Amino acid sequence: MENEDHVTIELRQAFLDKQPLIQTKSCSIYKVPDDIRQLNKEAYIPMAVSIGPFHHGDPRLQKMEDHKLLYYKHFIQRPNVSLPEFVSCLRMLEPQIRACYSEKIDLTVDEFVKVILVDSAFIIEFLIRDEWTERDIIFKQPCLWNRIKYDLILLENQLPFFVLEEIFNLVHEFPPFMQRALSLVPPASNNKTLKQLPHDSSSILHFTDLFRYSLLKQRPSGRKSGSLALGHSASKLAEAGVKFIVNKSSSNMIDLEFKNGTLTIPPIQVEDVTEIWLRNVVALEQCHYPQEHYITDYVRFLGNLMNTNKDAGVLIKAGIIDCIVGGGNNYESSVAKLFNDVRKNILVTSTNVDYLRISQELNAYYEHPWHKRLAALKRWKGAVSIGGILLVILTIIQTVFTILQVVL
């Protein structure tokens, strides 16, 4: 110790003053990694309301703070509500709640408890209000109501699910919390919202995780090391004779099947907020489910299918993608860009075994000599058609010039 120089002493003191952050097994609410965030920062940041400590105090969201307090006031004035009981409950759970966040929270115990209680009360009051009143600006403005609804599924904007259930259950007048929570799950497909309750709500981490559950419905077959190697896009596969059929009967968005030359895919609605929920679910899988990233596999598979606008048009025409973004001739461009952007900077260690099999079968189908000839024939016919059209146009132009020369 006597021979230690000043650098050694400073480094030793720095370690004593500030312990390094260690993510525990309880960690479930994450800051989105920078390499993923940089592709679309706005997809991960709340636009109307902050929930939890990560975005607490953001000046952009201060307008909603007063309304959060109004909701909190209304909540604690309900019958059978005991504010001391809430505070006592959250003080006891405070270390467990704090451990759910991936980064250090610079709030005292008292400050942290206040943030969690106000935000919990706001969410619960938001869920149990069925009708708006003239004084309620949230329910009076559908755009604001929808914006809040989508803010509540952002990965960085979460409270642990067990906290909300604990507070909710202390008020005995309400139905089970899960029934209300499901109303926040937006419809991701034409199958509409999730009807089935999870068998064990304790397995749900937060609203982002609940949304992921609604997309999966059930655990897929399994995983295997290896990357998706789909060698041909949708338009190329269609040229080789592959038929694309929408599977309206499936309740599982990722339930793809290839059989007898037909690829069936459940429908998916693509709208302005689709990129937001896709990005946040994929970010959750990157952080928390590195060995079970089934939604990420789905995004990668559809991205491989849609390399170009023409590829996206194949899925839109088949009714697989119900597109309500873009407009005019931009539908195909918007869809293709969305799926290819979301899959960028994603790390994978394994892949859904069903998708690996389907990719191999699609590649083998395309490489079959007869199917390759069929694809070549269709491309040749297309080239001939284009050539014929150009010939007609040139003939018309030549005729016009001839007439003009005679007239002049």
Side-chain angles (χ1 to χ4, degrees):
M1 294 290 289
E2 294 179 357
N3 296 325
E4 288 184 349
D5 61 20
H6 69 281
V7 174
T8 304
I9 296 172
E10 289 175 3
L11 287 173
R12 186 186 301 280
Q13 189 61 42
F15 176 79
L16 294 174
D17 292 343
K18 188 174 183 180
Q19 295 291 341
L21 295 177
I22 300 176
Q23 290 188 9
T24 67
K25 291 182 179 180
S26 302
C27 182
S28 61
I29 302 171
Y30 303 86
K31 280 278 192 177
V32 176
D34 288 340
D35 55 340
I36 298 177
R37 174 190 296 278
Q38 67 183 359
L39 298 171
N40 185 352
K41 297 179 181 179
E42 293 182 357
Y44 309 102
I45 301 174
M47 301 301 292
V49 61
S50 71
I51 298 295
F54 282 162
H55 294 280
H56 178 70
D58 188 331
R60 299 178 307 106
L61 307 173
Q62 288 306 300
K63 288 184 179 180
M64 187 55 60
E65 290 302 308
D66 288 342
H67 210 73
K68 281 168 63 174
L69 290 174
L70 287 175
Y71 268 44
Y72 160 77
K73 181 179 178 180
H74 194 278
F75 178 73
I76 63 173
Q77 289 177 343
R78 287 179 175 274
N80 304 318
V81 168
S82 169
L83 180 57
E85 189 176 8
F86 287 156
V87 173
S88 176
C89 173
L90 291 179
R91 280 189 181 280
M92 182 178 64
L93 293 173
E94 187 268 341
Q96 185 180 347
I97 300 170
R98 196 181 286 263
C100 292
Y101 293 92
S102 64
E103 298 192 4
K104 182 180 178 182
I105 308 302
D106 292 324
L107 296 173
T108 66
V109 173
D110 289 346
E111 291 169 339
F112 189 73
V113 167
K114 289 176 184 177
V115 169
I116 300 301
L117 180 54
V118 171
D119 289 355
S120 297
F122 172 78
I123 291 174
I124 294 172
E125 190 69 23
F126 183 79
L127 290 176
I128 61 181
R129 288 195 176 192
D130 295 324
E131 298 180 359
W132 61 269
T133 66
E134 291 184 358
R135 293 181 298 173
D136 191 330
I137 64 169
I138 293 178
F139 282 79
K140 190 177 181 180
Q141 301 179 43
C143 289
L144 178 58
W145 185 86
N146 278 311
R147 182 65 266 177
I148 291 173
K149 187 174 179 179
Y150 281 101
D151 278 352
L152 293 180
I153 63 170
L154 302 180
L155 178 57
E156 296 181 355
N157 213 37
Q158 296 300 312
L159 296 181
F161 210 72
F162 71 85
V163 175
L164 293 169
E165 280 197 304
E166 192 74 30
I167 297 297
F168 192 90
N169 292 337
L170 288 175
V171 186
H172 306 296
E173 62 178 285
F174 301 145
F177 178 69
M178 183 61 74
Q179 289 183 12
R180 292 291 185 176
L182 290 175
S183 67
L184 281 183
V185 177
S189 72
N190 290 337
N191 297 312
K192 304 305 179 184
T193 46
L194 177 68
K195 302 294 184 182
Q196 180 182 351
L197 296 173
H199 295 299
D200 181 13
S201 63
S202 65
S203 64
I204 302 298
L205 305 173
H206 39 65
F207 284 127
T208 315
D209 196 46
L210 178 63
F211 188 41
R212 177 178 180 269
Y213 174 90
S214 76
L215 300 176
L216 292 176
K217 300 293 196 301
Q218 58 191 32
R219 189 184 180 87
S221 301
R223 309 189 64 78
K224 189 167 66 174
S225 60
S227 181
L228 285 172
L230 184 58
H232 311 284
S233 64
S235 60
K236 299 296 184 184
L237 291 170
E239 288 175 351
V242 174
K243 294 182 177 62
F244 291 85
I245 302 295
V246 59
N247 181 6
K248 294 183 178 180
S249 63
S250 176
S251 62
N252 190 342
M253 187 184 78
I254 69 169
D255 186 18
L256 278 58
E257 183 179 5
F258 181 64
K259 187 176 181 181
N260 298 327
T262 299
L263 180 60
T264 58
I265 304 175
I268 176 173
Q269 290 180 348
V270 176
E271 51 187 328
D272 291 332
V273 295
T274 301
E275 182 174 355
I276 293 176
W277 63 255
L278 266 182
R279 281 190 175 280
N280 279 271
V281 172
V282 167
L284 171 62
E285 289 192 332
Q286 287 286 286
C287 295
H288 198 78
Y289 297 106
Q291 304 298 327
E292 300 179 68
H293 43 73
Y294 291 101
I295 305 302
T296 304
D297 291 340
Y298 171 84
V299 172
R300 291 169 59 226
F301 190 96
L302 262 64
N304 285 341
L305 277 180
M306 295 185 289
N307 290 327
T308 66
N309 299 353
K310 184 178 179 181
D311 298 321
V314 171
L315 300 189
I316 292 173
K317 185 177 180 180
I320 293 167
I321 293 179
D322 178 14
C323 185
I324 51 178
V325 296
N329 297 323
N330 294 325
Y331 286 140
E332 293 85 354
S333 175
S334 298
V335 172
K337 185 177 186 303
L338 188 156
F339 281 92
N340 280 284
D341 283 354
V342 173
R343 65 175 176 151
K344 290 178 181 177
N345 293 356
I346 297 300
L347 300 177
V348 297
T349 56
S350 60
T351 304
N352 184 338
V353 293
D354 292 332
Y355 287 8
L356 288 175
R357 174 182 52 78
I358 292 172
S359 296
Q360 293 167 359
E361 292 175 353
L362 283 170
N363 289 338
Y365 187 95
Y366 185 93
E367 295 300 326
H368 189 281
W370 171 249
H371 298 145
K372 289 186 74 173
R373 293 191 189 100
L374 178 62
L377 177 62
K378 288 184 177 180
R379 286 195 294 272
W380 179 80
K381 288 176 65 178
V384 169
S385 299
I386 293 172
I389 292 170
L390 289 174
L391 181 61
V392 171
I393 293 172
L394 289 173
T395 301
I396 293 172
I397 293 173
Q398 185 179 18
T399 303
V400 171
F401 272 111
T402 301
I403 294 172
L404 288 174
Q405 286 175 353
V406 171
V407 172
L408 297 175

